[in-house]
Amino acid sequence: MTGSAARHRVVIIGAGFGGLEAVLRLKGAPVDITLIDRRNHHLFQPLLYQVATASLAPSEIAWPVRHLVRRRPEVRTILGEVTGIDVAGRAVQLGDERVPYDTLLVATGARHAYFGHDDWEPFAPGLKDIDDATAIRRRILTAFERAETEPDPAARRALLTFVIVGAGPTGVEIAGTIAELAHHTMAEDFRALDPKEARILLVEAGPRVLAAFPEDLSDYAQKALERLGAEIRTGQAVTACDAEGVALGAERIPAKTVIWAAGVQASPAAIWLGAESDRAGRVMVAPDLTLPGHPEIFVVGDTARLDAWQGKPLPGIAPAAKQQGRHVADTIRARLAGKPDPGPFRYKHAGSLATIGKRAAVIDFGWIKLRGWLAWWIWGIAHIYFLIGLRNRLTVALSWLWIYTTGQRSARLITGRGREE
């Protein structure tokens, strides 16, 4: 790392949307930045489900962090696991190594939450990183392969039953894509098996799918899923989950593939900071995104709790995290220039989007609501726009165009080894 010891030291934990946006926004500022992450890549998480369902390859939605900051000599990148934060001593702990800071930004994201049933995780993996996505892809594709040679009808039905728990955007998108994968993409690939026998079951404890969307868009999404062949169960919560399937109250559903999309739990940042947190583990931050009593510490993204969206918590989506990262960077710049802080963070909601298969989506811009194929094209253009680099934009656009016109998905590779084997 270049620069003198007199330069302001900014440490950023997490190379997600919030952390990386702060790095980009601080370009040219009189700071030395240390960017810490336990993975070497930045992930475009909104498209992670497309890796899990064999639509895209991991390399199309992830980029090496070192490559992204290669022309920023003031940025030092550390691949490591944070074990604690010394708030009084202003240092981040990486095992035996201490990384001192003048300003700290915590943007460590979240993992899936099982609402007190963490023992379900081995049987119902969530989707938060590339490892999760490739493991789920392996489970889905392996289920079809095993069903091809399974002589017992009951065992075959369990192999071909896919249960998705949680009907938010991720759950809806996964259910729609698995339905298309089974009913269209692989319809002619097997000899002893008809993939159309697959049962895709989307389970939601609440009263409807896409609860954050207006009710008419929620109804449209459910009908679109049902047209694709998915089965929707609302108002029912999973009460048990194991290697043989799930239970919905007294009903037992044999299923070899269960995917969890029902909730998130923040990283241990609140524990590291000794800070107050909500039930999801998110740090309760001040209106300017700082830790109360510590103006030198900022917390953003899924790690932070701030009721600044129509009196509700900020949504856990990429645009919100990016806006918070920009606000933190602008605050740091103002402080170093001796100017007043920008003040409280103000969130600008650009809209809510969710896709259902390859030809339908729903969009809520507030002032206008869209559904169907037009919404799908707008959804696709918006996601391509936010990808990093021309190459990734082109490859994803071409992959989607190929899927749209042919129905085929080229990333159907079974790699690695897991419990399902």
Side-chain angles (χ1 to χ4, degrees):
M1 180 175 62
T2 62
S4 69
R7 284 167 61 91
H8 192 85
R9 300 167 299 181
V10 177
V11 173
I12 299 174
I13 309 174
F17 289 106
L20 189 61
E21 185 69 19
V23 171
L24 298 177
R25 192 81 169 190
L26 285 169
K27 184 177 181 179
V31 297
D32 286 328
I33 300 171
T34 301
L35 179 59
I36 304 170
D37 201 292
R38 59 180 179 177
R39 294 179 179 84
N40 78 329
H41 54 269
H42 168 74
L43 175 66
F44 191 77
Q45 202 171 74
L47 293 181
L48 193 58
Y49 82 95
Q50 296 220 351
V51 174
T53 52
S55 298
L56 296 175
S59 60
E60 293 174 317
I61 65 164
W63 304 268
V65 174
R66 292 188 183 279
H67 177 75
L68 296 177
V69 298
R70 66 192 183 282
R71 295 190 176 95
R72 299 282 301 279
E74 81 281 13
V75 180
R76 175 193 180 199
T77 300
I78 297 179
L79 179 66
E81 187 89 29
V82 173
T83 55
I85 297 173
D86 180 357
V87 175
R90 295 197 179 190
V92 175
Q93 200 73 37
L94 301 173
D96 294 331
E97 181 183 358
R98 288 170 59 86
V99 182
Y101 64 81
D102 298 309
T103 296
L104 174 65
L105 170 57
V106 181
T108 43
R111 291 287 294 174
H112 26 271
Y114 292 87
F115 309 111
H117 297 282
D118 291 347
D119 54 309
W120 293 355
E121 183 170 9
F123 315 113
L127 187 59
K128 283 296 178 184
D129 57 36
I130 290 292
D131 291 338
D132 294 335
T134 53
I136 289 173
R137 181 182 67 184
R138 181 173 62 244
R139 289 185 184 222
I140 294 170
L141 298 178
T142 299
F144 285 100
E145 295 294 340
R146 291 176 59 189
E148 168 80 353
T149 57
E150 177 54 63
D152 179 61
R156 176 182 284 197
R157 281 194 298 272
L159 284 167
L160 292 178
T161 298
F162 301 88
V163 178
I164 300 95
V165 183
T170 299
V172 166
E173 290 165 349
I174 292 173
T177 309
I178 294 178
E180 285 191 336
L181 190 68
H183 298 162
H184 301 286
T185 303
M186 299 193 298
E188 300 177 356
D189 288 6
F190 295 86
R191 299 297 174 261
L193 166 71
D194 181 1
K196 294 179 182 179
E197 297 175 13
R199 180 188 184 191
I200 295 90
L201 179 60
L202 179 62
V203 179
E204 169 58 44
R208 58 189 177 94
V209 304
L210 298 179
F213 285 71
E215 193 165 348
D216 58 335
L217 295 183
S218 174
D219 291 342
Y220 172 85
Q222 177 163 338
K223 291 174 182 176
L225 283 170
E226 291 170 342
R227 285 195 297 270
L228 289 174
E231 179 182 345
I232 315 298
R233 297 283 193 93
T234 56
Q236 293 182 281
V238 172
T239 54
C241 180
D242 55 36
E244 302 305 317
V246 300
L248 305 179
E251 181 185 5
R252 181 73 186 180
I253 300 174
K256 288 296 184 181
T257 303
V258 181
I259 301 170
W260 194 266
V264 295
Q265 180 74 24
S267 74
I271 298 174
W272 299 337
L273 294 168
E276 182 184 359
S277 63
D278 66 4
R279 293 180 61 183
R282 295 174 295 187
V283 176
M284 307 295 289
V285 297
D288 62 353
L289 302 176
T290 60
L291 181 67
H294 292 277
E296 77 282 3
I297 299 176
F298 296 87
V299 187
V300 304
D302 289 340
T303 318
R305 166 69 182 266
L306 179 63
D307 296 342
W309 180 36
Q310 301 172 350
K312 300 180 294 185
L314 294 171
I317 57 177
K322 289 169 72 73
Q323 289 180 39
Q324 292 172 72
R326 286 196 294 272
H327 179 84
V328 171
D330 291 346
T331 302
I332 294 172
R333 282 181 170 275
R335 290 177 179 179
L336 293 176
K339 299 178 180 178
D341 284 6
F345 171 71
R346 300 187 184 280
Y347 172 61
K348 297 179 181 179
H349 188 60
S352 300
L353 304 85
T355 183
I356 310 111
K358 66 176 183 178
R359 286 189 173 91
V362 291
I363 298 177
D364 177 22
F365 287 130
W367 53 277
I368 188 172
K369 295 179 288 187
L370 299 172
R371 68 199 76 191
W373 66 269
L374 177 60
W376 187 89
W377 281 100
I378 293 174
W379 173 92
I381 291 169
H383 282 71
I384 289 171
Y385 173 80
F386 283 109
L387 288 169
I388 296 175
L390 178 62
R391 172 187 171 276
N392 293 87
R393 294 188 181 111
L394 289 174
T395 55
V396 170
L398 289 173
S399 293
W400 283 349
L401 183 61
W402 180 257
I403 293 169
Y404 188 86
T405 56
T406 70
Q408 295 301 307
R409 290 169 165 81
S410 59
R412 285 155 45 202
L413 305 179
I414 298 174
T415 57
R417 301 181 66 86
R419 185 189 60 83
E420 64 275 7
E421 298 179 81

